[in-house]
Structure formats: C-alpha cells, structure tokens
C-alpha cells in the first residue's frame, strides 16, 4: 500500500504523472506514427494487431491477452476463418481481420510473424506482417491501428533487427495508405521501447 502526505500527490500518482513507469510517447512521420509503452488490449483504436500463430486459435503473450480480454466472439470469428478460408492455418506474413469482441478497439487484425531460426527469409515475412496489416486496415477505411512488436517474444526475432524492419515496412505501407491517420507501436517495457528507438529507420 502506498501512502501519500497530500491528496494531490495521490492524484498525480493515479494519473501516472510522477510514476517512474509513466509512459512516454514519441512521434515520427509528422505524427502519423506514435511509439510508446503500454498494454495494447486497452487501446481504443480502430484496429489492434495481434501477434497470432498460424492456428488463429490463441496462444500466450499478446495473443493470449487479446483473446482473454476480447472474449469468445474473437475465437469464434477465428474458427470460422479457419474453416472457410484457411483450413491449414494462416501462413506467416499474412493478415486477417475479425471483430474485437469486448476490447475497446473496433477490430482485431491477426497476423502471423516468422519464427526466428525456423522460417526462411524472416525479414521479408516480418515486413509483410506490417505491410499487409496496414493495407487491410486501409481497405476497411480504418484510421488508427496499434501494433505490438510482432515476433519479438515467443518467436525470438532479435529486437534490434525487428525495429529496423518494422519501421521501414510501416513507412512504405503508409506512403500507400492515405486513409490511415495514426499507427501506434506499443511496447510492453521501457527496455523494449529503448531498443526500438535506437534501431528504428523512420
Ligand atoms: N501489449 C503489448 N505488448 C505485449 C502484450 C500486451 N498486452 N503482451 C505481450 N506483449 P509474443 P510473438 C509483447 O510472444 O513473438 C503466442 O503464443 C511481448 O513482450 O506475444 O509474435 C502466439 O500464439 C513481445 O515484445 O508474440 C504465437 O504462438 C511482443 O508483445 C506466438 O506467441 C510479442 O511477443 C507469437 O510470438
């Protein structure tokens, strides 16, 4: 339990103004890209991107968090996509759109990143995740999209290389997607955010 000598200090703490972990945000491409820390499942954006696996049926990491908080509706939509379009699973580098269920976002875009050390041409596949997710959002006239750091958790992609690839792919995709006003890159820790900032190519 944290004690405060004056109520105003408690209020500042609740608002996150003087907590050391209070999130900083950085902007690139004239504000079209925002880079920050946080929990992507709480964002009220048009689309949250999920770092899914080929099964589309859930897993750990950000995928687990999205399905837990978003509820059964997302899983049902994924099962239907599996049955109708991807009986053998969604290939790495591809992206599909579903309802966001109970999440504050409107839609979830599920993309499958490359597994480091297993998939061939992981750089091309990782770039494709970002490009196809942005193109899919643009095709549905969605203005704001939030990404986690795809493949950099369980799939083991080196975070410095992933930062260069993600930023380059996002710049390219945004140059062909005028409808997209805001892309947020959401990191789970300050350390991950720092690695991104040091290696991005915006
Ligand atoms: N908000 C933002 N970022 C998060 C959150 C969150 N709530 N939770 C985790 N991260 P990972 P991958 C970060 O492993 O490497 C799953 O089991 C995390 O710290 O979620 O693409 C899938 O089902 C890391 O930096 O995705 C697949 O089987 C980043 O999100 C497999 O993992 C991505 O980590 C996909 O592996």
């Amino acid at each position: 339990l944290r004690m405060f000598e004056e109520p105003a200090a408690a209020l500042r703490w609740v608002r996150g103004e003087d907590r050391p972990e209070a999130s900083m945000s950085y902007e690139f491409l004239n504000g079209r890209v925002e880079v920050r820390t946080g929990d992507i499942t709480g964002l009220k954006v048009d689309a949250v991107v999920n770092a899914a696996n080929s099964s589309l049926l859930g897993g750990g990491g950000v995928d687990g968090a999205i399905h837990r908080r978003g509820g059964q509706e997302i899983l049902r939509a994924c099962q239907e996509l599996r049955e109708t379009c991807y009986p053998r699973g969604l290939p790495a580098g591809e992206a599909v759109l579903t309802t966001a269920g109970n999440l504050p976002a409107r839609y979830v875009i599920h993309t499958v990143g490359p597994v480091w050390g297993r998939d061939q041409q992981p750089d091309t596949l990782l770039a494709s995740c970002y490009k196809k997710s942005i193109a899919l959002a643009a095709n549905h006239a969605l203005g704001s999209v939030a990404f986690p750091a795809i493949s950099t958790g369980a799939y083991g992609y080196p975070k410095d290389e992933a930062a260069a690839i993600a930023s380059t792919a996002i710049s390219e995709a945004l140059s062909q997607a005028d409808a997209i006003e805001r892309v947020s890159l959401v990191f789970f820790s300050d350390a991950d955010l720092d690695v991104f900032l040091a290696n991005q190519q915006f």
Side-chain angles (χ1 to χ4, degrees), residues 129-154:
C129 288
Y130 287 95
K131 290 181 193 169
K132 292 203 170 174
S133 296
I134 288 173
L136 190 57
N139 287 340
H140 285 82
L142 306 182
S144 57
V145 185
F147 283 94
I150 296 161
S151 281
T152 65

Side-chain angles (χ1 to χ4, degrees), residues 43-119:
L43 297 189
K44 200 174 167 187
V45 288
D46 290 327
V48 163
V49 177
N50 182 19
N53 59 57
S54 288
S55 82
L56 292 178
L57 302 180
V62 70
D63 192 11
I66 284 174
H67 278 279
R68 251 192 321 278
R69 189 157 172 186
Q72 288 292 310
E73 214 186 325
I74 300 178
L75 185 61
R76 276 197 298 274
C78 287
Q79 284 165 336
E80 196 174 320
L81 272 169
R82 275 297 304 273
E83 286 160 19
T84 55
C85 304
Y86 303 99
R88 289 187 297 175
L90 184 69
E94 298 295 325
V96 293
L97 183 123
T98 69
T99 169
N102 299 324
L103 297 181
R106 292 172 60 205
Y107 298 95
V108 174
I109 291 174
H110 307 262
T111 190
V112 180
V115 178
W116 185 254
R118 187 196 77 182
D119 290 324

Side-chain angles (χ1 to χ4, degrees), residues 4 7 26 41 66 79 102 131 169 182 185 188:
F4 294 93
Y26 302 81
T41 65
I66 284 174
Q79 284 165 336
N102 299 324
K131 290 181 193 169
R182 187 86 156 167
L185 305 183
F188 218 30

